Amino acid sequence: MPKIKNLSDACKVSFSPDGPISEETLERVRALLDEIRPLDLGLDNEAQIARTWNSSTRQQNGRRGRGGPNQYAPTIKYLHIHECESFSMGIFCMPPSSVIPLHNHPGMTVLSKLLYGKLHAESYDWIDVADPTDPLKPCYSLGCSKTSKVCERP
């Protein structure tokens, strides 16, 4: 997996425990990430299968439970590639209709790549809202959607 090794090596010199070393090194990592394809990760067969899916042939995810069909969320798998003090690399294998709960990455720089399939991602920002009992005391609420994007890879 030479492309993954190149990406990992670039990350080693581009990230510190405090984040990216520079904008230039971050752009180098982004450029290498853009080159990664399913074949580079041994996922070409899975990508080929996903290319044949469409809304009429795709089976529903989840198991049938007492609450009816699709009561349980599809299983999301994580393939760990590397982790150190400065960065981590991994792959989320997400079946159609799967959902990752709302979460944050405080103090982190996150780069993501969709290898195949279709993904709907939403990002939110925290906004300052005054406390109704004390207008001088700020409290925080989830703000309006910052980004809502659908990505698709053949």
Side-chain angles (χ1 to χ4, degrees):
M1 292 196 229
K3 285 189 180 181
I4 300 305
K5 173 88 168 91
N6 290 343
L7 179 61
S8 178
D9 290 345
C11 288
K12 286 176 187 171
V13 298
S14 300
F15 295 106
S16 75
D18 297 323
I21 304 291
S22 69
E23 188 62 34
E24 292 78 24
T25 60
L26 182 59
E27 285 304 319
R28 173 75 178 134
V29 170
R30 282 185 185 135
L32 290 170
L33 186 59
D34 283 345
E35 295 175 12
I36 303 294
R37 301 289 175 253
L39 181 62
D40 302 318
L41 296 156
L43 297 172
D44 197 46
N45 287 340
E46 289 83 352
Q48 287 289 82
I49 292 167
R51 288 182 188 106
T52 65
W53 291 340
N54 64 44
S55 58
S56 63
T57 60
R58 189 178 303 159
Q59 293 183 358
Q60 294 292 323
N61 286 303
R63 300 183 306 240
R64 186 176 295 275
R66 283 194 288 162
N70 307 316
Q71 177 182 358
Y72 304 103
T75 302
I76 298 171
K77 295 180 184 160
Y78 178 74
L79 305 174
H80 182 73
I81 296 175
H82 177 81
E83 185 169 353
C84 65
E85 171 175 295
S86 300
F87 71 96
S88 64
M89 294 172 57
I91 301 170
F92 285 95
C93 301
M94 300 176 63
S97 303
S98 59
V99 175
I100 291 179
L102 182 62
H103 63 283
N104 64 357
H105 297 269
M108 295 182 189
T109 300
V110 178
L111 301 177
S112 301
K113 163 125 183 162
L114 180 64
L115 290 169
Y116 59 86
K118 189 174 184 177
L119 174 76
H120 179 182
E122 290 190 22
S123 300
Y124 297 88
D125 275 335
W126 290 102
I127 58 171
D128 295 339
V129 179
D131 185 330
T133 60
D134 181 0
L136 298 177
K137 179 182 164 192
C139 59
Y140 298 95
S141 279
L142 191 58
C144 297
S145 175
K146 175 183 173 188
T147 310
S148 182
K149 184 159 105 171
V150 174
C151 305
E152 191 164 5
R153 291 266 181 205

